[in-house]
Amino acid sequence: YNGVPIDREHLIKTIEMYFKHDSDLMNLLNKVTSNNKKINWNSSKQLSKFIYEDHGIPVRRRTKKGAPQTSADALNEIIMSGDDIPMKELLNISLPKGQEDIGICRVLLEYKAITKSKQMLLDWQAREFNSRLYPYINIVGARTGRTSSSEPNIQQVPRMKILRNCFNSVEKNKLFGEFDYSQIELRVAAFITRDETMLDAYKNEIDLHSLTQKSIFTDYKPKDKEQRAAAKQVNFGFLYGREAEGFYNQMIDSGLKMTLEDAKEWRANFFNRYQGLTEYYQKIEIECLETGGITTPVGRYRAYPGVYGTKYQKSAALRSAVNSPIQSLASDILLSSCVEVNKIEGVMVCATVHDAILVEIDTNVISKDQAEEQIKEVMEHPPLFNMFNIDFDVPLVVDADWGPWGGA
């Protein structure tokens, strides 16, 4: 295993940038005092006292022990509720134009994110060897068959261009690429559930997120990023059995404004649009109650003893059972494709990240165009289907991106 290529020069520049941003935020926060005492902004106890006791912001989330939460989700909920305190009320200095109304919780949220990313970058730097990282790839850790990675966890790299751009081939005649399945879990869901609307959409190359977006927004705007983000959340949230209240909390945590009534209406619209899903859920419940678990199209069996437990245990087990066949088959498709892609001369599989395969090619052996054609052919027609006699009648689509991970 040759690891994942990393651009050391870009990594160092990114670390320097994050250190400066972290320092600037800390200097701004240190101008805020409580009872003339400096605050340790990394202390949950001191942060909780500052937010909830000193400034009377309503507590919206508590830990299991009942203490007020200061997590990123808790801060985001304060911001979304309109209870954040503008920094100008806490400082005796003027803020730059356009920043006068920035709230303390928003600054703290950014500080937490910067600190977390900074630690991630330092971890990469410590583990880097000869411009490569060598994460542990675990192909049997997840019950659904998904792969996982650790030391470092490549799959947890945020979808931020500046962070992902650290991964790139720097050796002569080497080229880094990402091959990403387009909406693979939704395509697998269409195949497994046999929902006619979903099947028809994919066979006619209709974007499912746009279809859902139309069903939940009366003021449908094709290019509205927030509407599309909400549609994606709807598709994956309700597909996997999430109730309206849970979906509402998820949307608030992700920074999208909505009410609980909106969530209930969106859920109703979703199942009205994709009526085949209800029948699929019923089949899964019957199978679970009869066999104590579910079996995927490739014969992977997963037990769900919780279906015979309390009402809460049964509900949790059935929610998991609904998504298990879908995630499992999607993972098996990806893994079987990895094996075949790695057999292409001049192509090396570096890692998998969710629905994508990261590769590095030797351009002395194979051209970029040849590699792209052969890799796409394998991934869009995975050997798994022939191995298990699966008549997969939903077209698979793979998007390719070359150069720094996340786009140049």
Side-chain angles (χ1 to χ4, degrees), residues 26-184:
M26 181 55 73
N27 289 336
L28 178 61
L29 288 169
N30 282 340
K31 290 175 176 145
V32 178
T33 60
S34 178
N35 299 322
N36 297 318
K37 292 182 180 180
K38 292 291 183 182
I39 300 167
N40 178 358
W41 299 104
N42 294 312
S43 167
S44 295
K45 187 175 181 180
Q46 292 186 37
L47 191 55
S48 176
K49 181 178 183 302
F50 172 82
I51 294 173
Y52 301 115
E53 294 181 27
D54 296 349
H55 293 283
I57 293 177
V59 177
R60 295 183 174 275
R61 293 197 178 205
R62 294 183 179 273
T63 64
K64 290 182 179 179
K65 294 184 178 180
Q69 278 195 26
T70 58
S71 65
D73 287 344
L75 293 175
N76 193 55
E77 193 160 343
I78 291 171
I79 295 167
M80 296 300 294
S81 67
D83 291 328
D84 201 1
I85 302 173
M87 289 289 287
K88 66 183 180 182
E89 295 182 12
L90 305 173
L91 299 172
N92 294 320
I93 61 173
S94 298
L95 290 170
K97 188 175 181 180
Q99 297 183 16
E100 302 94 334
D101 296 322
I102 293 178
I104 181 66
C105 290
R106 187 172 294 281
V107 175
L108 287 167
L109 195 61
E110 185 175 1
Y111 173 70
K112 282 177 176 284
I114 290 294
T115 301
K116 184 177 180 181
S117 294
K118 186 181 72 173
Q119 292 304 318
M120 180 186 293
L121 290 163
L122 291 173
D123 181 55
W124 295 348
Q125 186 181 42
R127 296 180 186 279
E128 178 266 326
F129 179 73
N130 287 340
S131 294
R132 290 186 178 274
L133 291 179
Y134 295 86
Y136 290 98
I137 307 295
N138 189 348
I139 63 173
V140 295
R143 292 179 179 179
T144 59
R146 276 183 172 271
T147 61
S148 61
S149 66
S150 59
E151 299 183 31
N153 188 347
I154 297 297
Q155 297 185 351
Q156 289 298 315
V157 180
R159 292 181 180 273
M160 295 172 61
K161 185 176 179 180
I162 191 167
L163 294 178
R164 292 198 166 191
N165 273 187
C166 291
F167 295 91
N168 190 25
S169 299
V170 293
E171 294 180 51
K172 187 178 180 181
N173 301 318
K174 295 292 178 66
L175 186 60
F176 189 64
E178 177 187 25
F179 286 78
D180 189 12
Y181 277 111
S182 172
Q183 302 178 10
I184 188 171

Side-chain angles (χ1 to χ4, degrees), residues 2 132 169 172-177 179 340-350 358-372 374-375 402:
N2 290 325
R132 290 186 178 274
S169 299
K172 187 178 180 181
N173 301 318
K174 295 292 178 66
L175 186 60
F176 189 64
F179 286 78
E340 294 303 309
V341 167
N342 209 46
K343 293 177 182 178
I344 301 172
E345 189 175 4
V347 177
M348 182 194 74
V349 171
C350 300
L358 304 182
V359 303
E360 186 177 46
I361 67 169
D362 185 341
T363 54
N364 283 330
V365 178
I366 189 170
S367 71
K368 184 186 80 169
D369 291 342
Q370 288 174 327
E372 183 169 325
Q374 291 183 43
I375 293 171
W402 296 99

Side-chain angles (χ1 to χ4, degrees), residues 330-402:
S331 299
D332 289 335
I333 289 171
L334 185 72
L335 280 176
S336 72
S337 294
C338 270
V339 174
E340 294 303 309
V341 167
N342 209 46
K343 293 177 182 178
I344 301 172
E345 189 175 4
V347 177
M348 182 194 74
V349 171
C350 300
T352 63
V353 178
H354 305 305
D355 303 329
I357 300 177
L358 304 182
V359 303
E360 186 177 46
I361 67 169
D362 185 341
T363 54
N364 283 330
V365 178
I366 189 170
S367 71
K368 184 186 80 169
D369 291 342
Q370 288 174 327
E372 183 169 325
E373 181 182 357
Q374 291 183 43
I375 293 171
K376 281 189 173 183
E377 176 63 25
V378 168
M379 293 179 67
E380 292 176 351
H381 305 88
L384 182 84
F385 297 155
N386 289 331
M387 292 167 59
F388 291 91
N389 295 317
I390 298 173
D391 184 19
F392 198 86
D393 57 351
V394 180
L396 293 177
V397 176
V398 174
D399 299 317
D401 189 22
W402 296 99

